Amino acid sequence: MAAANPAESLRDEASCSICLDYFTDPVMTDCGHNFCRSCITQSWEGRDTDFPCPQCREISQQRNLRPNKQLANMTEMVKKLSQCSVRPKEESLCEKHEEKLKLFCEEDQKIICLICRESRDHKSHTVIPIEEAVQEYKEKLKMHLKPVKKNLEDLEKFKSTEGKKAEELKSETERKRQIVESEFEELHQFLNKEKQILLSRLEEDEKKILQRITEHVTQLEEQSSSLMQLITEIEEKSQQPANELLKDVKDALSRCQKMTFPVPEAVSTDLKLGFQLSFPQQLKKWITKFGGFDWWIEFGSYTVNVTLDPETAHPNLLLSEDRKSVRRGNTRQNVPDTPQRFDLYPFVLGSEGFTSGRHYWEVEVGDVSHWTLGVCKDSVRRKWGITLSPGEGFWTVSLWFGKRCSALTSPETQLPLSERPRAVGILLDYEAGKVSFYDAENKSHLFTFTDSFTGTLRPFFGTFSQIPLRIRQVPAWN
């Protein structure tokens, strides 16, 4: 909306939208808006990138401020014109007393003249000169405007962050979608190819069997024709007179004795294709390993490659060269006694640290009679006085002497198992605050800890056995 008169419009153009006062050392942003240098500098305080314009909110990647000397000169001229300008009569004079409006009544929030000041309506009120009131309320407006702008800035930051998260989610979803489509398209093509091969071989076997049957039928028809001819001759011989019947009768009998045909072997119609339908090896491994696609889809996308950290291993523990298995040795190894190393109990941590997301790995426990598995905070105590409990930063499940399996809660929770697990699956859901344990062989759920996680979490392993615990490879589809 336009100002009341050209003088007001000119003063607005010469005023900073942040402090609402005349420009002081005006500078221009990339989007073309002008501000006092000190005002825009204070507005951008603490930022290294993404500088928003306070007026239009357009984002600049760099702090580009160009001095506007013409605007500075114009501002000085507007100041002088403002001092010399005469306000219209209806704005500068009291409507009731036609006196100049010089005072401001704070109680009534109204501009008054000197006569109004002495009137009954305002005599007991606090009044101050208009110039002081203007300056005072400018400062108050500026003070109240600052937190409002800060709230707007915080909201813009949050909106930008949420927008980035949405874009990242879309990108990740698209990536996973392409992986799934690619994998199943490859499987579809493979199955179609196997289907064509199978149908082709079925057709070939059918032709071979039909050919053999046809050959046998032809042979049987020839034998049947010969037998029918002999039968006719014998029957005719039997009807002849005595002298004719006895003539060459031995020859006829001899032909009957000699006319024998072996029964041909029946043709087998069993379609033996000579091959078996073979899924790709990786797919067979997935199906065999996880007992179906549901398990693979649920856990395969969160599989991580966990290795053991030798810097944390108790001196009695022996790690394999690939850092995938651990067992207890007979002697204490000569290793540095660092703050990271466990020195009382035979524990070792995984090298990987997790601060977000879902992560799944499996450990073969086999015949190990005493093991402890799970996750712990990276900051847990490594020396004396270790207590395996959630309060101390440990979320673990343990088998005691091959008989009792427990979740190490406070107090511990005994797990009713029908049989000892041969492999344990561990699923960490950081944001949900859950650590779940599974029997990786029969896919049954053992126990789930629910807590609130902060900081870095690492895989945890403990064993008193000389039989190794081994981290096994789990097929992953991402």
Side-chain angles (χ1 to χ4, degrees):
M1 183 175 179
N5 56 62
E8 288 292 334
S9 298
L10 189 60
R11 187 169 69 174
D12 289 344
E13 290 298 322
S15 299
C16 172
S17 62
I18 296 178
C19 66
L20 306 178
D21 205 347
Y22 288 117
F23 285 113
T24 301
D25 189 12
V27 292
M28 181 185 296
T29 61
D30 288 342
C31 58
H33 292 110
N34 297 280
F35 307 94
C36 300
R37 182 183 293 276
S38 60
C39 291
I40 188 65
T41 301
Q42 186 177 4
S43 174
W44 288 350
E45 186 176 355
R47 289 179 174 269
D48 296 324
T49 184
D50 294 342
F51 302 98
C53 171
Q55 192 162 336
C56 69
R57 313 310 300 172
E58 181 176 326
I59 301 296
S60 300
Q61 296 302 317
Q62 297 181 347
R63 190 193 297 264
N64 293 328
L65 297 174
R66 301 187 298 278
N68 195 335
K69 294 183 178 180
Q70 289 181 325
L71 182 58
N73 295 334
M74 188 193 79
T75 302
E76 292 302 320
M77 289 187 287
V78 171
K79 286 181 181 179
K80 293 178 181 179
L81 286 173
S82 179
Q83 293 172 359
C84 299
S85 64
V86 178
R87 294 182 178 272
K89 183 176 181 180
E90 64 271 18
E91 292 185 0
S92 60
L93 298 180
C94 175
E95 293 181 357
K96 186 176 181 180
H97 304 111
E98 294 188 357
E99 293 288 333
K100 288 185 178 181
L101 300 170
K102 295 184 177 182
L103 303 173
F104 179 73
C105 176
E106 292 192 340
E107 278 79 355
D108 294 335
Q109 292 286 294
K110 183 179 179 181
I111 298 175
I112 61 176
C113 67
L114 292 173
I115 297 177
C116 292
R117 169 70 179 86
E118 299 300 325
S119 69
R120 184 179 300 170
D121 293 337
H122 298 282
K123 192 169 185 178
S124 61
H125 294 173
T126 301
V127 298
I128 57 176
I130 289 178
E131 293 78 6
E132 291 184 16
V134 168
Q135 188 62 34
E136 178 183 342
Y137 281 97
K138 276 187 177 181
E139 292 296 326
K140 288 182 178 181
L141 289 171
K142 183 176 180 181
M143 181 179 64
H144 285 79
L145 189 60
K146 187 173 181 180
V148 173
K149 289 186 174 181
K150 181 64 169 60
N151 288 338
L152 177 60
E153 182 179 332
D154 292 341
L155 286 174
E156 291 294 334
K157 285 182 180 179
F158 183 73
K159 184 175 75 173
S160 176
T161 301
E162 292 300 299
K164 289 179 180 178
K165 286 169 63 176
E167 291 300 321
E168 290 173 358
L169 175 62
K170 289 180 181 178
S171 177
E172 181 65 11
T173 302
E174 178 63 20
R175 187 181 74 85
K176 291 289 180 69
R177 185 189 65 78
Q178 291 178 358
I179 290 173
V180 172
E181 288 186 351
S182 175
E183 293 288 341
F184 280 89
E185 177 62 26
E186 181 181 349
L187 177 60
H188 181 69
Q189 293 176 1
F190 172 81
L191 291 176
N192 272 337
K193 182 179 178 181
E194 293 288 342
K195 172 186 172 182
Q196 295 304 319
I197 293 174
L198 177 60
L199 293 177
S200 175
R201 295 193 179 184
L202 278 172
E203 187 176 351
E204 290 178 4
D205 282 1
E206 181 191 27
K207 287 180 179 179
K208 291 178 180 179
I209 293 173
L210 286 175
Q211 182 179 356
R212 292 178 59 189
I213 291 175
T214 302
E215 291 174 352
H216 279 215
V217 169
T218 301
Q219 181 183 354
L220 292 172
E221 286 179 348
E222 292 175 353
Q223 293 176 353
S224 176
S225 176
S226 299
L227 289 173
M228 289 178 65
Q229 183 179 354
L230 179 60
I231 290 171
T232 301
E233 292 178 3
I234 297 299
E235 287 179 346
E236 291 178 352
K237 189 71 171 174
S238 300
Q239 301 299 322
Q240 291 178 349
N243 58 341
E244 292 292 331
L245 184 146
L246 295 174
K247 184 181 178 180
D248 301 326
V249 68
K250 287 185 176 182
D251 181 57
L253 292 174
S254 177
R255 288 172 60 193
C256 286
Q257 292 173 353
K258 292 180 178 179
M259 187 69 72
T260 59
F261 300 100
V263 179
E265 182 180 352
V267 178
S268 173
T269 57
D270 185 15
L271 295 173
K272 297 180 179 180
L273 299 178
F275 78 106
Q276 292 181 344
L277 185 65
S278 58
F279 285 93
Q281 291 302 312
Q282 186 64 26
L283 183 59
K284 289 185 69 176
K285 184 187 293 185
W286 285 333
I287 295 174
T288 303
K289 183 75 171 178
F290 297 117
F293 283 103
D294 290 342
W295 181 271
W296 167 52
I297 292 295
E298 176 65 19
F299 295 92
S301 58
Y302 308 129
T303 297
V304 290
N305 182 27
V306 173
T307 56
L308 300 170
D309 183 4
E311 300 298 323
T312 64
H314 184 276
N316 281 87
L317 293 181
L318 300 176
L319 275 58
S320 62
E321 185 174 351
D322 62 358
R323 295 195 294 166
K324 286 288 188 178
S325 68
V326 58
R327 65 182 180 86
R328 182 164 184 171
N330 293 322
T331 58
R332 188 180 182 91
Q333 298 180 84
N334 185 18
V335 292
D337 184 15
T338 62
Q340 294 77 27
R341 189 178 306 280
F342 290 98
D343 65 353
L344 181 60
Y345 300 108
F347 300 153
V348 61
L349 300 184
S351 300
E352 295 69 25
F354 309 118
T355 57
S356 63
R358 292 182 176 180
H359 310 278
Y360 179 77
W361 63 96
E362 293 181 356
V363 183
E364 293 180 358
V365 295
D367 295 323
V368 178
S369 60
H370 193 159
W371 49 260
T372 305
L373 300 172
V375 299
C376 70
K377 289 186 176 181
D378 184 48
S379 59
V380 294
R381 184 192 300 272
R382 312 288 175 90
K383 305 302 180 182
W384 291 86
I386 299 175
T387 301
L388 300 184
S389 68
E392 295 296 322
F394 296 86
W395 295 270
T396 58
V397 167
S398 184
L399 179 71
W400 302 88
F401 307 108
K403 296 180 180 179
R404 180 165 54 94
C405 191
S406 302
L408 301 187
T409 52
S410 295
E412 70 178 53
T413 302
Q414 188 166 345
L415 306 181
L417 302 180
S418 57
E419 59 180 338
R420 284 171 49 183
R422 307 290 295 178
V424 178
I426 302 162
L427 177 65
L428 166 63
D429 190 340
Y430 193 99
E431 279 76 12
K434 293 182 178 180
V435 182
S436 299
F437 296 80
Y438 300 87
D439 184 328
E441 297 297 324
N442 61 25
K443 316 302 179 295
S444 62
H445 175 256
L446 301 178
F447 188 81
T448 294
F449 288 90
T450 302
D451 211 327
S452 179
F453 300 139
T454 58
T456 302
L457 301 184
R458 296 174 66 177
F460 178 87
F461 307 82
T463 178
F464 287 87
S465 176
Q466 294 184 355
I467 302 174
L469 294 174
R470 170 162 286 277
I471 305 167
R472 70 182 185 183
Q473 182 66 33
V474 181
W477 65 273
N478 62 341

